[in-house]
Amino acid sequence: MAAAKRVAIIDGVRTPFARAFGVYKRLGAAELGRMATNELLARTEIDPAEVDALVFGCTLAPTAGPNVAREIQFRTSIPRVAGAHNNGHWDTHGRN
């Protein structure tokens, strides 16, 4: 039996709260995610080559569109072989 891999969540970052269709209305989820992910990598000084997976939470992600986490990965220096997973949620009122 192979030894279990150690998993570590190092940190997290989010975009600032803003009114829907306000200051960020021209930016899609992947572009906002790119900005947040690059900021996280800069703050933590983690070598992107060490990232095994990107887990990205997104409210109102495109339902018929691409995997937003994978699109963010393509826009950053995180290796293409790393996993990329979305965690979609609508709001804090339990409507999902």
Side-chain angles (χ1 to χ4, degrees), residues 5-89:
K5 262 182 120 171
R6 182 174 170 221
V7 175
I9 298 173
I10 305 302
D11 207 339
V13 67
R14 62 154 293 130
T15 57
F17 284 98
R19 190 175 283 263
F21 308 107
V23 296
Y24 298 126
K25 70 181 174 185
R26 298 202 193 292
L27 299 174
E31 183 58 20
L32 287 167
R34 178 200 64 81
M35 293 164 45
T37 302
N38 282 338
E39 179 62 24
L40 177 67
L41 291 170
R43 284 184 191 181
T44 59
E45 298 180 356
I46 292 173
D47 178 1
E50 296 294 316
V51 176
D52 293 326
L54 171 66
V55 178
F56 187 78
C58 181
T59 302
L60 297 176
T63 56
N67 176 341
V68 175
R70 182 70 71 198
E71 291 296 314
I72 293 166
Q73 181 184 24
F74 290 157
R75 297 170 190 221
T76 66
S77 54
I78 294 173
R80 301 298 183 258
V81 296
H85 311 277
N86 287 326
N87 177 13
H89 49 85

